[in-house]
Amino acid sequence: MKNKLIFLIVCTIIQMSVHVGFAQRDPSKEILVFFNEGVQREARYENGVETMRSFVKSERLKSALTRLGIDERALEVASPTFREADTLTIMPDGTRLTQANMTKLFRIRVSEGKSREELIEELNRLPEVLYAEANGTTMSLIVPNESFSGRYSEQWALQRIQSEAAWDIYTGSPNSIIAIIDGGVDVGHEDLSAKISGGVVGWGWDGHGIHVAGIAAASTNNSRGIAGVDWMLIYILDGLIIQTMLALIML
């Protein structure tokens, strides 16, 4: 019983230290550096656990880093689980997929009082450095909640044009106005009723106009129906294509 209690205490301490260490990290004060040469990582065992440590093997580079105020201990392995063998993946059909050797990517903590931007410029001047850039945090791509309760999963076209990546940047504008020249639109449709302004109401061409209007600007993130390309747009003018063509001929 005593041994089990000691084991639980040790596990708790390790878990707390991991969380504290993670909480103390601030990506906004870090730099990612990809070294062509001069730095390598090596596995070391501490208390029976394998950890990856950085090692500057080039004296010239070590001197340059010291001049910049970067101690060897400030270099952290950015991708400890990556192995050189991971740079090449052969798919079942024989396709060879390659990626950068992330064993050469390291993370540097910027000391208090130092400019991260200036340090990045200095690091990029070193011949051993392929690139140095600011670290940061990322957020997952925006996915409308229609993916859970609507029909977004059926909208292959939006996924084909990588709309989620675009929505991460811009979801549309309420000041935009579009015209759907088609077979008419259902003003009572749950995804369109709040957006239709004037024009022709109808189900012409088996609802083709409704379909097109929905893809363009259906009410989105409302947990029903489908997603539109422009989430924010509030004015859809619709008309029959025959009437529009007649108007153009009369001009």
Side-chain angles (χ1 to χ4, degrees):
M1 181 66 184
K2 183 177 179 180
N3 290 336
K4 289 184 178 179
L5 180 61
I6 293 174
F7 176 75
L8 290 174
I9 293 174
V10 170
C11 289
T12 302
I13 293 174
I14 292 174
Q15 186 177 30
M16 289 177 63
S17 65
V18 169
H19 284 296
V20 170
F22 182 80
Q24 290 177 341
R25 276 199 53 212
D26 184 357
S28 68
K29 296 181 180 179
E30 295 177 343
I31 299 174
L32 293 175
V33 187
F34 192 103
F35 290 96
N36 281 319
E37 58 183 358
V39 181
Q40 66 183 34
R41 65 181 194 175
E42 55 184 30
R44 297 179 184 177
Y45 287 88
E46 299 176 0
N47 299 321
V49 179
E50 182 186 41
T51 58
M52 287 292 179
R53 300 295 183 185
S54 58
F55 173 66
V56 181
K57 61 180 182 179
S58 167
E59 291 299 326
R60 199 208 74 81
L61 178 59
K62 183 181 292 187
S63 176
L65 293 175
T66 301
R67 177 176 55 81
L68 296 176
I70 301 174
D71 186 87
E72 183 178 16
R73 290 170 296 181
L75 292 176
E76 298 178 358
V77 176
S79 302
T81 60
F82 191 91
R83 298 293 185 267
E84 288 197 35
D86 298 331
T87 59
L88 174 63
T89 302
I90 301 178
M91 305 299 289
D93 63 356
T95 302
R96 299 168 67 88
L97 303 178
T98 59
Q99 60 176 314
N101 186 355
M102 304 306 287
T103 64
K104 297 184 176 182
L105 184 66
F106 295 84
R107 187 170 53 234
I108 296 177
R109 300 187 303 274
V110 179
S111 303
E112 290 293 333
K114 286 190 173 294
S115 168
R116 182 167 70 161
E117 289 69 25
E118 292 178 2
L119 197 53
I120 289 174
E121 290 182 8
E122 293 289 342
L123 286 166
N124 278 315
R125 292 193 182 102
L126 299 179
E128 295 88 352
V129 173
L130 177 63
Y131 68 82
E133 62 183 11
N135 196 8
T137 55
T138 60
M139 297 179 65
S140 58
L141 300 179
I142 292 179
V143 178
N145 56 27
E146 281 85 356
S147 61
F148 305 105
S149 54
R151 298 173 56 193
Y152 177 69
S153 61
E154 302 173 25
Q155 295 184 263
W156 61 266
L158 292 187
Q159 298 168 45
R160 181 72 177 270
I161 64 173
Q162 300 181 4
S163 56
E164 293 174 11
W167 289 330
D168 241 18
I169 303 170
Y170 188 67
T171 55
S173 169
N175 297 319
S176 298
I177 298 176
I178 64 172
I180 302 298
I181 310 302
D182 209 294
V185 178
D186 176 15
V187 295
H189 193 283
E190 63 178 4
D191 268 342
L192 297 172
S193 59
K195 298 192 172 192
I196 303 300
S197 177
V200 178
V201 178
W203 295 74
W205 298 353
D206 294 324
H208 190 272
I210 302 171
H211 186 71
V212 172
I215 293 174
S219 295
T220 305
N221 228 31
N222 60 354
S223 300
R224 62 176 184 265
I226 65 171
V229 174
D230 190 324
W231 295 15
M232 309 300 292
L233 184 144
I234 57 176
Y235 290 111
I236 300 177
L237 303 177
D238 67 292
L240 291 173
I241 191 168
I242 296 177
Q243 292 178 338
T244 303
M245 291 302 295
L246 287 174
L248 291 174
I249 292 173
M250 292 177 66
L251 290 175

